[in-house]
Amino acid sequence: MMPSRVTHRDLRKLVRKLGVAARPGEQKMAASAMADLCCDGTPESLAAITAAGAIPELVRLLGPSYSDDVKGDAADALRSLARHVDAVVHLVQLLVPTSPADMQYAAAEAVSYLAQNAQYVANVVAAGGIPMLVQLLGPGSSAGVQRYAVSALRSLAGDVAGGLQADNVASIAAAGAVPLLVQLLRPGPLPEVQLCAAEVLCNLARNGENVVSIAAAGPIPDLVRLMTPAVPAVLKEAAKAALALITGHPANAVTTAAALVQLLGAGSPASVQLVAARQLMHFAAQRPENVAIVVAAGAIPPLVKLRLEASPVLSNAATQAMQPLGARNAENRAAVTAEIRSQTIPADMIRMMQELGFV
């Protein structure tokens, strides 16, 4: 039931004054009045405001062409309306690809804000926000929209400190987020977008089923690249955490070894080769069975080549990566030696392997 001082007709007039046809002064007064009305609103009045078409007009007023006062009042009104799930449904519907670009951007920003606040999370999810946000991760979205969408998904997935939202994590994965998140790790997106993508993948990877599908989507080369010195520290740490979960799962052993060995090749920058060699060392040392998997993936020739030809730092990393492969492991030495002899390795590499105690 509407408050006695405001009728449905009054609401429709107020919403019209928020519209593009209204004069700036009218819009400012209408936005302020709407913010006050929503702040004091009951569930019934908030439903009536939503039904009157206020959501799209308020979202539009968040755009850059409006004053800070107008944007502030519009944001306040939307925050109050978000207590009512039907209002969030209307807001989420503005995320569709057919929405005007500025409307979609403002709606994504608003949903991202709501997702950061625990009191609104349930309504965002109930309104169908997760699949809508996932589809915004694709290449058809602007960088700004992608930024707000992936930030919202990070909030909806939760975190280790605040507790992962298992149902939301499952819904994000089911909506097809994994390949889109992996794509955002590649060169091009803004660092803050890559940070959120890495953190969402990290949360998804805490589920055993998800971690296998994530590895299959091919994120390892990009996560390794994001661990090089030129990358901001916070992004580097997020990439490291995601990579540890992905490479640490036994079902991903073959995929991990193949990806890391490929990164040792001459086509990779030295900074990437260095991270790959160090990660390969850790991976080989995790489980005895990983040794044979690494050797079978062809790690010996590129590691020996790096040991012979690379800079001192990279050469040392290659040597350390070779240690878990058998030189100090009597149990695995015979298997490693047999694998080495089965491969075509130049004579100088064989001599180096002898010096290291492999053959």
Side-chain angles (χ1 to χ4, degrees), residues 77-346:
L78 285 169
R79 279 192 286 269
S80 297
L81 286 167
R83 301 196 304 265
H84 182 61
V85 68
D86 286 348
V88 183
V89 170
H90 281 72
L91 180 59
V92 167
Q93 288 173 348
L94 296 175
L95 299 175
V96 297
T98 53
S99 288
D102 57 344
M103 185 78 76
Q104 187 186 58
Y105 178 93
E109 181 180 13
V111 173
S112 179
Y113 169 81
L114 295 177
Q116 294 174 37
N117 292 268
Q119 61 181 319
Y120 302 125
V121 166
N123 281 356
V124 171
V125 174
I130 286 177
M132 295 296 288
L133 290 165
V134 168
Q135 58 94 18
L136 292 179
L137 301 179
S141 299
S142 69
V145 168
Q146 286 179 332
R147 180 173 73 250
Y148 285 124
V150 74
S151 176
L153 289 170
R154 175 181 61 179
S155 298
L156 293 173
D159 55 45
V160 176
L164 294 178
Q165 302 297 316
D167 290 343
N168 292 351
V169 166
S171 296
I172 292 169
V178 168
L180 297 173
L181 290 167
V182 170
Q183 190 67 34
L184 292 178
L185 297 177
R186 289 169 186 163
L190 299 169
E192 55 263 39
V193 171
Q194 293 180 317
L195 172 62
C196 289
E199 290 179 340
V200 176
L201 279 174
C202 196
N203 286 340
L204 296 183
R206 296 180 191 282
N207 176 289
E209 294 181 5
N210 291 339
V211 75
V212 176
S213 64
I214 291 171
I220 292 176
D222 294 294
L223 290 170
V224 167
R225 179 182 54 79
L226 292 175
M227 292 169 61
T228 55
V231 175
V234 65
L235 176 53
K236 193 183 304 183
E237 287 303 310
K240 182 179 179 180
L243 186 66
L245 287 169
I246 294 166
T247 60
H249 196 285
N252 293 335
V254 173
T255 301
T256 296
L260 292 176
V261 168
Q262 186 174 14
L263 293 174
L264 297 175
S268 297
S271 59
V272 171
Q273 291 175 320
L274 179 61
V275 175
R278 289 172 173 170
Q279 290 300 311
L280 197 63
M281 176 190 69
H282 294 309
F283 173 74
Q286 279 178 359
R287 301 180 188 86
E289 56 268 29
N290 286 358
V291 170
I293 293 172
V294 170
V295 174
I300 299 298
L303 284 173
V304 174
K305 185 174 179 63
L306 290 175
R307 173 65 179 82
L308 290 169
E309 302 175 5
S311 67
V313 172
L314 183 49
S315 175
N316 182 59
T319 301
Q320 291 179 338
M322 291 166 63
Q323 295 298 334
L325 303 186
R328 295 180 179 177
N329 189 322
E331 182 178 347
N332 295 320
R333 186 179 309 219
V336 174
T337 300
E339 183 63 35
I340 291 170
R341 293 189 183 281
S342 73
Q343 299 184 36
T344 302
I345 299 178

